[in-house]
């Protein structure tokens, strides 16, 4: 669009943080409708029932994700420094592999282990990495091409799955059953 790089980066980062916040809110609202069984006495309760519970969950998911992400970004930068000093080899594929695997690991640790926002953690790790990796990157073109390929593949898989799932929902919907019944009733009998 011809916008300066700093503005483009700011808008992209803000958009990804919005996505992360939306996922946290989705998980929060989903937990309001999902029922947890308590072992003692078989009492059924909702996961978050008070405003304080909701606020604590939202804040810890966002802040916890950001903290895990900053640590993940720090680990990525430290690994690149270690590879550069120990291997004495500037290998763009090693850097690409490190950024991909550590980004996934940051997401997994935040979301899967700690229960924080994995999206916010990954975005924070990326911001930390982009800020502190200047001078460490051998080939920005290799990193950009690798990440763009993953982005394309991820988007293709997401939209393909969304299409398949939407098709299944629509084809199994009661709307089609009612339409077929109405058509059969309107058809002239022979």
């Amino acid at each position: 669009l011809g916008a300066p790089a700093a503005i483009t980066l700011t808008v992209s980062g803000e958009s990804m943080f919005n996505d992360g916040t939306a996922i946290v809110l989705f998980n929060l609202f989903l937990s309001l409708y999902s029922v947890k069984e308590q072992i003692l006495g078989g009492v059924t309760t909702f996961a978050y029932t008070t405003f304080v519970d909701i606020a604590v969950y939202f804040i810890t998911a966002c802040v916890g994700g950001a903290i895990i992400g900053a640590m993940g970004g720090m680990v990525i930068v430290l690994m690149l420094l270690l590879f550069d000093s120990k291997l004495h080899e500037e290998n763009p594929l090693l850097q690409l592999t490190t950024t991909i695997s550590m980004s996934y690991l940051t997401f997994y640790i935040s979301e899967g282990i700690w229960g924080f926002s994995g999206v916010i953690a990954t975005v924070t790790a990326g911001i930390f990495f982009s800020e502190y990796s200047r001078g460490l990157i051998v080939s920005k073109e290799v990193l950009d091409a690798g990440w763009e390929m993953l982005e394309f593949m991820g988007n293709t898989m997401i939209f393909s799955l969304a299409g398949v799932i939407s098709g299944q929902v629509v084809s199994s919907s009661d709307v089609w059953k009612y339409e077929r019944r109405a058509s059969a009733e309107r058809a002239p009998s022979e």
Side-chain angles (χ1 to χ4, degrees), residues 80-100:
L80 294 181
L81 282 169
L82 178 73
F83 293 153
D84 197 30
S85 67
K86 294 291 182 189
L87 298 178
H88 303 292
E89 180 180 338
E90 295 181 344
N91 188 340
L93 292 178
L94 180 62
Q95 290 183 342
L96 177 62
T97 305
T98 302
T99 58
I100 292 170

Side-chain angles (χ1 to χ4, degrees), residues 100-171:
I100 292 170
S101 59
M102 288 306 299
S103 297
Y104 179 76
L105 187 61
T106 300
F107 179 92
Y108 177 75
I109 289 171
S110 181
E111 185 96 17
I113 295 176
W114 287 97
F116 300 141
S117 172
V119 174
I120 290 177
T122 307
V123 170
T124 305
I127 291 171
F128 190 95
F129 171 74
S130 68
E131 183 65 30
Y132 295 104
S133 66
R134 290 188 176 95
L136 293 175
I137 303 303
V138 175
S139 173
K140 185 177 180 320
E141 293 78 21
V142 171
L143 279 181
D144 287 346
W147 279 102
E148 285 176 15
M149 181 190 67
L150 283 175
E151 177 187 10
F152 176 77
M153 290 170 47
N155 283 333
T156 301
M157 287 183 353
I158 287 170
F159 286 108
S160 296
L161 287 172
V164 168
I165 291 169
S166 298
Q168 286 178 338
V169 168
V170 169
S171 68

Side-chain angles (χ1 to χ4, degrees), residues 15 17 32 53 55 71 125 158 166 173 188:
S15 172
F17 272 118
L32 291 173
D53 291 339
M71 291 189 302
I158 287 170
S166 298
S173 174

Side-chain angles (χ1 to χ4, degrees), residues 1 29 33 51 56 60 63 101 109 140 144 150 180 189:
L1 297 174
F29 290 129
Y33 290 103
F51 177 75
V56 166
T60 56
V63 173
S101 59
I109 289 171
K140 185 177 180 320
D144 287 346
L150 283 175
R180 282 187 288 241
S189 56

